[in-house]
Amino acid sequence: MSKKAEQAAQLDSDKIKELVSENDTGGRNPTGFVAQLVLGVALFWAIFQLWYASPLPYTFGVLVFNATEARSIHLALAIFLAFTAYPAFKRSPRQYVPVIDWIFALAGAFCAGYIFLFYAQLSTRPGQPTTVDLVVAVVGIVLLLESTRRVLGPPMTVVALLFLVYMFGGQYMPEMIAHKGASLAKGMNHMWLTTEGVFGIALGVSTSFIFLFVLFGSLLDKAGAGNYFIKSAFALLGHMRGGPAKAAVVSSAATGIISGSSIANVVTTGTFTIPLMKRVGYRPDQAGAVEVSSSVNGQIMPPVMGAAAFLMVEYVGIPYTEVIKNAFLPAIISYIALFYIVHLEALKANISGLPRRGHSTFVQRLLAFAFTVLGLIVFSGVVYYGIGWIKVVLPNVASLIIGVLLMATYLALLWYGSRQPVLELDDPDAPVFELPEAGPTLKSGLHYLLSVVVLIWCLMVEQLSPGLSAFWATMFMVMIMVTQRPVTAWMRGQSGEMGAAMKIGFHDLMDGMVAGARNMIGIGVATAAAGIIVGTVSLTGIGLVMTELVEMVSGGNLILMLVLVAFISLILGMGLPTTANYIVVSTLMAPVVVELGAQNGLLVPLIAVHMFVFYFGLMADVTPPVGLASFAAAAIARADPIKTGITAFYYSMRTAILPFLFIFNTELLLIGIKSPIHLIFTVVSATVAMLLFAAATQGYFLVRSKWYENVLLLLVTFTLFRPGFWLDMIYPQFKEIAPTELMQIAESKPADERLRIYVEGESLEGKTVSKGVLLPLGKPGPGAQRLKEAGLTVMAFGGDITVAAVRFGSAAEKMGLEQSFKIVGLEVPTDRPDKEWLFIPAILLLAGIIAIQRRRLQVAKAS
């Protein structure tokens, strides 16, 4: 590479780093005492969050903070770091913090911490703010908006300002959206001094859950897991046709599990994958688009989902494990389809893979893979049942024994990894690039996976809260970071280097803690600013107006309504980080789908609706002209950002169709799965359907497809995804029964089934309501008890069934049921053939397409 080319590459690298720092951790890097102070505040924030999440405050009875106090401290630290880490403008100084920013930082921190500092006094005068309270609230809102502008850019700030204008100027709005408006005292009290606005649920989730998961991901990355994931993906897949692109998909899926930032994901993996994709033959915009599509999809990947999973728990009212289960299949099949898309692109352009270091036969690789999978299955079974046995036989010392076994496993994996040679990825721009060997690469970092196992075990098996699960996983990561280097040095016979290795470990730990806190600045201010939107909706009732507006424009057409909601979600999501994105679209658009869908006979679980708007909000990360992930990838690929964004959107079409499909077929969210066979049918059919959709949109299956073959592939895709559409034309899915049979039907339903009921009445706002809901029923039992557990108490009066009470915060309350509503309809499934019988004609049609294309392929090979 010439010197001029090297300078250009370095310039691009500096621009990319600047883009990431400005968007994720702040673009300012002061020196001296100021740098130490900022790092110290970030470190204090991380330690405070660990303390708050741990059981220690309750064990020792000191520094116990309630939820509101913790939110106040959380936001105070976020705003302080926002003003000290993020410059006001591009021309603002980067090497020091101006005086005005110190004033803003201290004033903003004081206003945010006001609730914590004067909690006792404020609790004695709810709804009666003093002049000082109002001044603090006004200054706090202004500084919050300014910090949001610095950290997230104008879009979020503009949206929040528009909602504030609407809240105070409601009487001056057009008639359709007008309301009586709010006074300054009422508005500021609602926004800043209660938990209905800025300090609401969103900031609470950021405080309780999100910080710990972001910190865990940051420590995992600093420990070397991110590099391990990339190396493993290249070692396993780099030799395949279009190998670097396939490695990009898999490594982005792996890092997406722990990352809450699309841009960071793009740059972390894209620095290696994009140059190599270009080298083997992908166009620059294709290389960037593959990385963008796979990185943005990391935000739909459980267990973190860009932190939106924890917000869904609060907004939908279902356990965290249910959110993970519902999100799993769509995320997996979306990644499988992208993997297939890059394979088809490689076939069309005749792109090969990269050379291996070692050479092994296909049979050897297949046997190694089979034994690895079998070993993992056996090991998982031994761990699961072994720990269960220990808990039963030795309950008093089970925790101690499990801790010792965990440490022994960690040391064993470290020893196993220390036997492997130290492998690093070559420079992707070097003239010769060889892939790392698969075996040694995979074995070298197995101990990183142990921390993920701890997290998932605490969440899924022990069923601890997400915050406590993340706390224990983070503490395990702290131990790994401090010990992995010195223990590995000792195991390799390098005892003299243990001291230096331990010092590096502590340095990495501090860096990881600080990086985790700085990564949280954006999420902290985003959830607070999004609280302005949530508070405005709850104070003014704008949500009902959005429903009426969409209903009027769509003309009551169900599909048009969903398309309109998807488009509005896409617009609302532009320029917003994942967390704020989800809060905005779920607050404004989820109720629209619920209300209008119920009026048109579309009754779906609330989680499906929230996933629908979440997916389309995320598409804004890809879509030009605002998609920052596309800009970051284009900078690495040296491609046009608009062209890269358009190509990425084209690749992401598979993600865009999924929400429409799981709205009508909730089995894709693993809801209503009745048996293991049913589960297998659902997973296999959804995977095949998504692959066929990718083939149809790429115009290439076994060979280049004719237009009518693409149409037929789309028909097969639709049938596999939604076989019930055709069956509903012949057999109705539900039949109506009298509401008086409500108790008997509720009692007869299996566990976790949903009850389809239709209600009518007048809401508290005086609006006539007529809709249907899917009421979730828990464990089997008497009908009245199951309804009560769902939050609903009913009474019979004459021939009517009336809602007597709705428990606050229950599933019934979240679905909009209110006291005095009448239950006017009840539906139960009809006895009809299984819809999976429709798979047979779809498979026969697919077989015909395969036969036609195989014949064409043979002719092409012969010629």
Side-chain angles (χ1 to χ4, degrees), residues 667 672-683 835-836:
E667 289 176 4
I673 302 296
K674 297 179 176 61
S675 65
I677 297 297
H678 190 186
L679 175 63
I680 291 170
F681 264 104
T682 301
V683 173
K835 62 181 183 294
E836 284 76 18

Side-chain angles (χ1 to χ4, degrees), residues 36 38-44 46-47 50 215 218-219 222-223 477-478 481-482 502-518:
Q36 298 303 314
V38 172
L39 293 180
V41 172
L43 183 61
F44 172 77
I47 294 171
L50 284 171
L215 182 61
S218 176
L219 293 179
K222 286 289 181 182
M477 270 309 308
V478 170
M481 294 190 74
V482 172
M502 182 168 286
K503 186 180 294 184
I504 294 172
F506 274 107
H507 186 267
D508 286 345
L509 174 61
M510 294 299 106
D511 282 351
M513 299 272 276
V514 170
R518 294 189 70 158

Side-chain angles (χ1 to χ4, degrees), residues 45-46 49 74 206-207 209-216 516-517 520:
W45 192 11
Q49 294 290 163
H74 180 86
S206 177
T207 306
F209 305 145
I210 297 176
F211 193 105
L212 270 296
F213 278 85
V214 170
L215 182 61
F216 173 73
M520 270 300 300

Side-chain angles (χ1 to χ4, degrees), residues 19 23 152 263 266 292 575-576 620-623 625-633:
L19 176 65
N23 281 280
L152 306 176
I263 291 181
V266 165
V292 170
L576 302 186
D621 274 356
V622 178
T623 314
V626 185
L628 291 175
S630 296
F631 279 84

Side-chain angles (χ1 to χ4, degrees), residues 151-214:
V151 179
L152 306 176
M156 186 71 191
T157 311
V158 170
V159 171
L161 275 171
L162 287 174
F163 274 82
L164 283 174
V165 169
Y166 177 74
M167 180 179 69
F168 290 119
Q171 63 269 40
Y172 305 111
M173 297 294 163
E175 184 177 351
M176 186 176 181
I177 62 172
H179 65 97
K180 65 180 181 179
S183 65
L184 180 67
K186 183 178 180 181
M188 288 298 100
N189 179 71
H190 187 79
M191 285 296 175
W192 201 261
L193 302 176
T194 72
T195 55
E196 296 295 320
V198 169
F199 296 94
I201 290 174
L203 188 63
V205 172
S206 177
T207 306
S208 302
F209 305 145
I210 297 176
F211 193 105
L212 270 296
F213 278 85
V214 170

Side-chain angles (χ1 to χ4, degrees), residues 315-316 543 547 550 558 561-562 565 585-613 663 758 769-774 811-817:
Y315 288 167
V316 180
T547 303
V550 172
L558 191 59
M561 179 269 290
L562 290 173
V565 168
V585 296
S586 63
T587 302
L588 291 176
M589 303 316 301
V592 174
V593 180
V594 172
E595 291 297 323
L596 296 183
Q599 291 174 20
N600 289 273
L602 176 65
L603 305 186
V604 293
L606 198 55
I607 182 65
V609 176
H610 279 253
M611 292 280 284
F612 180 91
V613 296
I663 277 285
Y758 291 84
V769 174
S770 177
K771 66 177 182 179
V773 297
L774 279 178
E813 191 259 346
K814 290 181 184 295
M815 291 176 180
L817 297 182

